[in-house]
Every structure is written in structure tokens, then in C-alpha cells.
Amino acid sequence: MKVENATSQAYLRQPNFQGTGDISRFIRNNLPGKKAFNVFDRINGIKGEIGGIVINSIGTGAVAPFVIGTNPFVKAPKGASEEEKKKVRDTKWYTAMRQPISAILAVLFQVGALVPINKWIDKIFNDPELAKHVDLYVDQSVLNSDATLKRKAKAELSQQNTKKPSFWSQFSKGRKAFKAEKAEYKAKLKGLADEIGSKQLDDLTNSFEATGKIKIGDRYLDNKALAKLINQQIDSYIKDAKDLKLDNDKLTFYSKRADLLINNEDKLKEIFSSDVLNSQMKNNTDFEGLEKYLKDLLNKEQNPEIKEILQELLDRPEDVRLSRINNTLKRIDSIKDVCDGKYTQQKYFKVMTDRNAELDKIITKFSLDKLDPKSAIEDNTIRTTIDKIKKVCSFKENDKFLRGILHDTDTFNSDIAKLSKKIHKDIIKGYKGFVKNHFSGISQIIQILIGVGITLPITCNALNWVYPRAMELFFPKLSGVKKASKGGENNG
């Protein structure tokens, strides 16, 4: 669930402290082994089917030969001569050297074949003329795959005479300029691909909202599948409502925290007033100035409750401290507001438990609105159900209590038009994921069939032809041992 700006009722929901930076990156950069993470990031760039082939080939070519060549379980019989022992060792290494050759051929043939195969498969399920002949559950002609969106964006950039910098341009422009130009192109490509994808999503959302049906080309998604998508979205909204609830531990914590904030309201507003903070910080990104100010306050403060607040702020990443201070001040006002200006811990605790009870009602209403896919055969059933969802997700601006719980969330809204658009778009996003999952399975099956029927036989035949010739060229002694062995067998 997306959480927007804090409001006068913000303290009644679970706090979500966010800054402008990446907290996970902040934590990683302060760990002793941060360099190892950077290595893993680079390795993570090799992923997907091609990455699997490359990594498997590296293991096959670099590790397997030593395992086979030094296999302690394959050895000459007891009492064998040195010549016989050497022959066994050479035979093991002759066999072992098959692995790197096999790995090289696997990369050449399988990766070489995989790229055009993937493009071919992607074209079948994304081209409107071809996709209309496949199952609707894998038809991506209206909501294109990431690969197709990228190709469309690349073609559009090419028409604008914006092309990816070539490998050779780094020698004429310099490596630094080349990397900057490459990064700029990559960002443009991604931005345009995202833009094309967003427009496709919006267009299908508008069509769905207007007709109550999901139209792909000349076909419509059946209501049974659509009912399942709606139920899936209802489950997502139920989760959002559950996330807003406060468990017993949080109820206890927030009750105590409310007491702490109200009891120290004057002091907190004094030390965190905008005038004071502006005098301590050059600007809103002066993290060092704010940190120094907080540490000075902590060292001088005698009140343990104020010290607790200050220490919590210092324990936060530097780029979220200012927003945390602002939220703390807003929470003081929100606590008094929900208690109608007369705060007591008992009254505030009751407000929070009433809040949980209201969310339970919402969750129950969502559950009752779920469809039985088997009986959802009429178009009117779909429209009626979506109308019910809109009703549960909406609240009136003059309903102070309900607005206080729901109005700063993305799932619930007082604007019916915006809410309707969002619900239909959420269902379309679910449909896109539904198609993507089905396509992924079909794509894997096609790749396996092509691999077993075409790529693997070609690779094996190439290996049988290349292997003995490569051994004769690069390892004539080992190859000679194998020939002698074969000659001995023939003579026998």
C-alpha cells in the first residue's frame, strides 16, 4: 500500500518513516563487507536463461576437469607398473578435458540459439496478427512484454537519431565520456519503454472501465477468469486493511508514546520549531548540521523521555531525521485532535480500538463481495461487484472518524472517480501479471522442446567432432594415449 504525506490523523495508522534515500543501500554501505555486495551485484547482472548457461558452463569448464582428472576412485590396479599408472592418469585427464570444450560449445551454440529463439517466441505472443492465433491467456499484443516494449522504445529512439553508443566510440571519445553516454542512452531507453507500457496500461484500463470487459484484439477475457482477477484484487485490499490495524503490542506502544509526546509537547515544539531548525541547518539537506544539533541536545538533556526521542532520531538514517521530526510534531496535534482536544490515555486507547473494529468491518465487507467464478457468467455481475468494491473503498470527507483512518492511503479514497479508475487499473495490472505468468510457463516449455530436439543434438554432434581434433592439436600426448588405448582394444 502506498502511504502519502502525513496528515492530522497520521498517528492513528502504523508509522511509515521514509526518506529520500535508499535505506537498504545506507545500511549496506556501512557494513564491513560492503565490497562483497558490490561483487554480488555484478554477478546478479548475469541472470535468466543466458546467465544460467554461462554460469553452468563456467562451472563445467573450470571446476569439473579437476574433479575428473584427480578422481581418487579411478586408479590403476594394485601392483600396476609406473607406465600403467601413468596411462590411467593420462586417460582421466583426457576425459576431463572434454568438459571445457563442452562448456565452450554450449555457450556458442545454446546462447547463440537462445537469443533468436527468445525473440521469435516474444514476437509470436506480442505481434497482434500472430498473437490472435494463440490462447488469450498468453496474448501480450495489448500489454506488451518488457522485451517488446524495449524494442519499440529502441526503434522510436532510432527514428529520433538517438542510438546506443558503439563499442568503438570509447576509443575516440574516451572511456569516461563513453560510459556517461551509454548510461544516458540506457536511461532514455528505459524511460521511453516505461512510458509506452504505461500508455498501454491506461488505454486498456479506460476500455475496461467503459465496457466492464477486458478486450484483447477482437477477443474478450471470459468472466470466470475476470472474476478470479477481481477476487485476487479484493484479497490485496483486505491485506491493505489488515496492515492498517494495530496489534496488542502496537496498541500498548502507541498509548505510551502518546503520553510521552503530550506530556512533553511544549519542550518538543520548542526544540523542533521551524525557526530553531532553520538556525541550525543551512538547508533541508544539511544532515551534518542537524546531527550536531541533536547530539548537543542529547548531551545537555536531563529529561529521560526527551532523551529517548532524541536517541531514536539519531538512530535513524540521516536523510529521514528531518521528516521524522516533522511527523513527531504533527502526531502531537493529531493525538489531541482525535480526542477532541481533551487527551487522556484511556480516551486515546479507545479511539485506537474503535479504529481496529472499523477496519474489521471493512475486511468483512470485502470478504462478502468476493465472487464465485463458476457463477460469474453475466457482465452485470462483474459491474455490480466492482461497484461494491468502490463503496467499501470510499469514505465521505465529513466522516471525521473514517477519514482519519483511511484518507492518507492509496487503497481508500473519497473521490469516487479516482477510486473507480484505480480499482479498474489494479485489476488490469493483475491481468498483466496473470498473462506474464502463463507466458513464462509456455516460453519455458518451448525452449526445452527446442533445446532437446534441436540445440542439444547439434551441440553433442559438434562436441564429438571437435573434441578429438582439439585434443590432437592442443594435447597430443594425451590424445596419443587414447589412440594407443583404442589400438590395444582393437588388437584384443
Side-chain angles (χ1 to χ4, degrees):
M1 181 187 306
K2 176 185 171 185
V3 180
E4 298 174 352
N5 294 331
T7 63
S8 62
Q9 305 296 328
Y11 199 74
L12 285 180
R13 61 180 172 82
Q14 295 184 37
N16 187 354
F17 307 118
Q18 294 179 333
T20 56
D22 185 340
I23 294 178
S24 62
R25 177 69 62 180
F26 172 83
I27 295 172
R28 258 181 46 170
N29 288 341
N30 285 277
L31 290 174
K34 64 179 181 181
K35 291 184 179 179
F37 286 107
N38 296 330
V39 175
F40 291 141
D41 280 344
R42 294 189 185 98
I43 295 174
N44 189 46
I46 309 174
K47 53 188 175 181
E49 295 91 349
I50 293 176
I53 293 171
V54 172
I55 292 172
N56 183 63
S57 297
I58 291 173
T60 300
V63 179
F66 293 99
V67 176
I68 297 171
T70 59
N71 187 352
F73 299 104
V74 178
K75 52 187 176 182
K78 191 175 182 179
S81 64
E82 282 301 319
E83 184 179 349
E84 290 173 325
K85 291 179 182 179
K86 183 178 182 304
K87 187 175 181 180
V88 170
R89 287 196 300 271
D90 290 348
T91 301
K92 284 196 294 184
W93 279 106
Y94 180 87
T95 305
M97 294 312 297
R98 184 182 180 92
Q99 302 307 309
I101 297 174
S102 173
I104 293 170
L105 292 176
V107 172
L108 289 175
F109 284 96
Q110 293 181 36
V111 172
L114 193 60
V115 172
I117 288 171
N118 281 344
K119 286 185 178 179
W120 172 72
I121 294 173
D122 203 64
K123 182 175 176 59
I124 290 175
F125 293 96
N126 282 268
D127 185 282
E129 290 302 312
L130 298 175
K132 65 183 179 181
H133 300 295
V134 303
D135 193 287
L136 187 62
Y137 290 179
V138 289
D139 185 342
Q140 295 181 301
S141 60
V142 173
L143 297 178
N144 294 153
S145 67
D146 292 341
T148 296
L149 290 174
K150 189 175 179 180
R151 279 198 292 274
K152 286 184 174 181
K154 192 173 184 178
E156 193 169 323
L157 286 176
S158 181
Q159 289 178 352
Q160 301 170 8
N161 293 322
T162 303
K163 296 183 179 180
K164 182 179 179 179
S166 67
F167 172 79
W168 303 107
S169 64
Q170 64 180 309
F171 299 107
S172 58
K173 297 180 179 180
R175 184 168 180 78
K176 189 175 181 180
F178 169 76
K179 287 180 71 175
E181 190 177 343
K182 189 177 178 182
E184 183 182 359
Y185 176 82
K186 189 177 180 180
K188 284 184 179 179
L189 184 65
K190 184 182 183 305
L192 185 55
D194 290 344
E195 186 180 323
I196 296 170
S198 294
K199 186 179 184 307
Q200 290 181 350
L201 195 67
D202 288 339
D203 289 344
L204 190 56
T205 297
N206 293 336
S207 170
F208 177 41
E209 188 176 16
T211 64
K213 297 181 74 66
I214 295 179
K215 186 179 181 183
I216 307 299
D218 296 326
R219 299 181 290 177
Y220 292 93
L221 184 71
D222 62 276
N223 285 343
K224 183 178 179 181
L226 185 50
K228 290 181 179 179
L229 290 173
I230 291 172
N231 286 346
Q232 177 181 303
Q233 197 53 51
I234 289 175
D235 286 335
S236 174
Y237 294 155
I238 288 174
K239 181 182 180 301
D240 291 343
K242 286 181 177 178
D243 287 344
L244 286 172
K245 289 186 65 178
L246 303 172
D247 59 28
N248 290 334
D249 289 340
K250 290 189 177 75
L251 286 171
T252 302
F253 171 78
Y254 293 152
S255 294
K256 291 180 178 179
R257 180 48 60 94
D259 254 7
L260 185 153
L261 293 177
I262 296 298
N263 292 339
N264 296 280
E265 176 183 359
D266 294 339
K267 178 68 173 180
L268 290 171
K269 287 187 175 180
E270 176 190 337
I271 62 176
F272 293 145
S273 70
S274 57
D275 290 339
V276 171
L277 291 179
N278 288 337
S279 68
Q280 299 297 325
M281 301 171 64
K282 296 176 183 177
N283 51 59
N284 288 344
T285 58
D286 181 13
F287 301 139
E288 290 184 7
L290 180 59
E291 182 171 1
K292 183 179 183 301
Y293 175 62
L294 293 173
K295 286 181 176 179
D296 288 343
L297 285 175
L298 182 61
N299 292 331
K300 297 174 184 177
E301 186 58 52
Q302 299 299 317
N303 185 334
E305 292 184 337
I306 299 292
K307 289 173 72 74
E308 181 182 341
I309 296 293
L310 293 172
Q311 187 59 59
E312 285 181 3
L313 290 169
L314 287 168
D315 289 340
R316 295 283 174 177
E318 60 182 13
D319 59 340
V320 302
R321 289 171 184 156
L322 185 60
S323 63
R324 179 72 187 269
I325 289 171
N326 292 329
N327 286 340
T328 298
L329 297 178
K330 288 177 181 178
R331 271 184 215 104
I332 294 173
D333 294 332
S334 72
I335 292 167
K336 294 193 297 185
D337 186 40
V338 297
C339 294
D340 296 322
K342 297 178 181 179
Y343 167 81
T344 66
Q345 191 178 68
Q346 292 76 14
K347 184 184 287 189
Y348 187 64
F349 186 83
K350 185 179 184 304
V351 170
M352 289 193 293
T353 53
D354 288 348
R355 173 185 187 280
N356 277 355
E358 190 64 37
L359 287 167
D360 282 332
K361 289 180 185 177
I362 291 172
I363 291 167
T364 300
K365 288 177 183 177
F366 274 135
S367 300
L368 292 173
D369 288 342
K370 294 182 76 170
L371 288 162
D372 178 4
K374 294 180 182 177
S375 62
I377 54 176
E378 298 181 3
D379 295 347
N380 189 51
T381 306
I382 300 297
R383 283 186 174 276
T384 302
T385 301
I386 293 179
D387 287 340
K388 289 179 180 179
I389 296 171
K390 283 191 281 187
K391 189 174 180 181
V392 179
C393 288
S394 65
F395 59 88
K396 294 180 179 178
E397 278 294 325
N398 60 3
D399 187 337
K400 181 180 178 181
F401 180 66
L402 200 57
R403 179 171 59 86
I405 302 172
L406 306 175
H407 87 303
D408 56 348
T409 64
D410 187 47
T411 298
F412 304 93
N413 206 312
S414 60
D415 188 323
I416 295 296
K418 289 182 179 179
L419 197 57
S420 177
K421 183 73 67 181
K422 180 193 180 301
I423 292 170
H424 284 87
K425 192 169 188 175
D426 286 342
I427 294 170
I428 293 298
K429 287 178 180 178
Y431 167 72
K432 183 172 183 177
F434 167 79
V435 172
K436 186 176 181 179
N437 289 337
H438 278 74
F439 169 75
S440 180
I442 293 294
S443 176
Q444 290 291 336
I445 292 172
I446 294 174
Q447 288 176 10
I448 290 171
L449 292 175
I450 291 175
V452 172
I454 301 175
T455 311
L456 188 60
I458 292 174
T459 305
C460 291
N461 284 326
L463 177 61
N464 290 333
W465 188 88
V466 171
Y467 175 51
R469 289 165 176 77
M471 290 301 292
E472 286 182 13
L473 180 63
F474 297 107
F475 304 99
K477 290 184 178 180
L478 293 179
S479 182
V481 169
K482 189 67 179 176
K483 283 184 176 181
S485 175
K486 286 184 177 181
E489 290 171 3
N490 292 335
N491 290 337

